[in-house]
Amino acid sequence: MAEHLRIELDTYRFHSPRLGVPVLIFEVTAKVTDDLFLLVPRHAIVDLLNGVLGRAQQKTGDFDFDLYGYHFMSNHLHLLIGVVELVDKSLMLEWTQREIARRINRYHGRTGQLLTPNHAIQITSLPHALERMRYVMGQATAQLLSRHPADDVFACANPALLRGEPLAGTFVHANGVREAVTVRLDRLPGLDDLSPRAHRDLMWQLADAIAAEHRPRRKKAGLPVPDPEAARRVDPWTRPRQRDRSPAPVVHGTPAQQAEWRERHATLRAAYTEAHIAYWKWLADPRQPLIPFPPCTIPPSHARKRLCARAESG
């Protein structure tokens, strides 16, 4: 299991204005199985996705997290989050992706896996965090599906970041009760001193730069100004024509920080492998010594046990 080891660079924490403690910042990406457009931004699906995120923010007894930005494209999702510990990220993503899958599958009348295992990349500097916010905000504009992030019809944080509109959704509980919820957006660390007006002006600067960057691409391709509503009419059972994706970095940070992550991961992976081998030897012979798992790591299989323990204690 060492190849699936999740680690953190604990030294790169940033003060969360809401939680009042240092947090790790991650950009999370998950793809829809087979690249199907099952998250197509129909009004009911946008309401559903916002509802799951809003409900996740209410579950502070199980996990707590900052949500700085998000964007659900038709065949993948992006979340920009802050967590105190790796296990909080694991629990939040496990619950959120499971609830999204249940509801989207029910909506489309399908069964089976909806989302592939998520890929979370730690962000190790505040300038890179702002750059990733820009990237998440510009998803539809970069795909030439909208003229400007303000025109976006996908389930995303743009309406709140740019116009201050509430991000409303509906969460349907297991007993059928429908609860209207609102998604709370938190300030990125480093931006907590900005007034609401200054913060919105900064988000508009990012959005305008995104639109200006991709306008020449659209004109060069001879495409008209996109109709955002057209994205709602796409057949969910189609796939993108091209699937070219650039390789993801190990962290969003400087080259030195990326080298530090690789060195740290190699060290922790070796330590985790040693501890895991000792565990299997202990199962065969309890007289053998156990070796603790290294800190600042989380094997994926351990998160569910923590979730069950918290549910039983609550």
Side-chain angles (χ1 to χ4, degrees):
M1 282 190 58
E3 67 272 15
H4 301 302
L5 191 64
R6 304 292 186 262
I7 77 166
E8 66 185 54
L9 292 180
D10 193 55
T11 54
Y12 298 105
R13 289 178 175 267
F14 305 96
H15 182 77
S16 164
R18 183 182 69 88
L19 296 174
V21 296
V23 296
L24 304 160
I25 305 178
F26 289 92
E27 181 192 351
V28 180
T29 305
K31 298 192 300 180
V32 175
T33 300
D34 294 330
D35 265 337
L36 292 170
F37 287 173
L38 297 179
L39 304 182
V40 60
R42 296 175 179 174
H43 292 287
I45 291 180
V46 172
D47 184 65
L48 180 157
L49 296 173
N50 283 341
V52 171
L53 284 183
R55 175 58 179 163
Q57 291 178 322
Q58 297 175 1
K59 296 180 68 63
T60 54
D62 294 327
F63 47 78
D64 200 1
F65 64 100
D66 281 346
L67 179 64
Y68 310 120
Y70 67 96
H71 203 297
F72 290 87
M73 291 294 285
S74 294
N75 66 338
H76 68 280
L77 64 86
H78 292 273
L79 303 174
L80 197 58
I81 62 174
V83 294
V84 177
E85 301 295 345
L86 277 180
V87 70
D88 296 309
K89 173 178 71 69
S90 178
L91 295 173
M92 175 267 178
L93 292 174
E94 179 188 38
W95 186 91
T96 301
Q97 293 194 193
R98 182 185 68 232
E99 296 303 315
I100 288 173
R102 285 176 175 174
R103 286 155 177 77
I104 293 294
N105 277 345
R106 188 180 302 122
Y107 178 89
H108 291 296
R110 72 184 293 273
T111 59
Q113 183 185 45
L114 178 82
L115 297 169
T116 62
N118 66 78
H119 187 53
I121 302 177
Q122 186 176 353
I123 299 173
T124 52
S125 76
L126 293 180
H128 282 90
L130 194 60
E131 189 276 330
R132 298 321 292 174
M133 172 72 85
R134 181 184 187 275
Y135 175 80
V136 171
M137 290 175 63
Q139 285 292 294
T141 306
Q143 296 296 321
L144 306 183
L145 298 175
S146 67
R147 176 193 62 85
H148 190 282
D151 302 334
D152 214 317
V153 299
F154 292 86
C156 66
N158 293 356
L161 292 172
L162 299 176
R163 296 189 294 271
E165 297 178 0
L167 301 168
T170 303
F171 185 81
V172 182
H173 293 266
N175 59 5
V177 174
R178 300 174 64 86
E179 178 184 1
V181 298
T182 302
V183 181
R184 180 196 71 245
L185 286 185
D186 302 301
R187 288 282 186 94
L188 266 177
L191 302 183
D192 48 312
D193 291 336
L194 295 179
S195 67
R197 178 61 182 272
H199 184 268
R200 192 168 302 169
D201 287 345
L202 175 60
M203 295 300 108
W204 271 101
Q205 291 175 23
L206 297 180
D208 290 342
I210 294 166
E213 176 184 346
H214 297 290
R215 189 179 303 117
R217 291 181 52 230
R218 189 181 71 244
K219 292 183 176 180
K220 183 176 181 179
L223 299 175
V225 175
D227 173 17
E229 292 295 325
R232 302 190 194 274
R233 300 189 291 269
V234 173
D235 183 355
W237 302 101
T238 58
R239 297 179 176 87
R241 295 178 181 177
Q242 296 180 342
R243 304 189 190 187
D244 297 333
R245 293 185 174 94
S246 57
V250 292
V251 294
H252 291 300
T254 65
Q257 290 166 341
Q258 293 185 26
E260 179 183 355
W261 186 96
R262 289 188 175 93
E263 181 179 355
R264 178 70 173 157
H265 186 271
T267 301
L268 291 174
R269 177 174 174 173
Y272 177 72
T273 299
E274 181 183 8
H276 200 68
I277 291 172
Y279 170 71
W280 285 107
K281 289 182 178 179
W282 175 84
L283 288 179
D285 181 1
R287 293 171 297 180
Q288 298 296 318
L290 284 172
I291 300 176
F293 289 121
C296 301
T297 67
I298 177 171
S301 61
H302 287 48
R304 187 180 299 275
K305 295 179 182 179
R306 171 84 173 269
L307 179 62
C308 294
R310 287 185 176 185
E312 291 170 359
S313 64

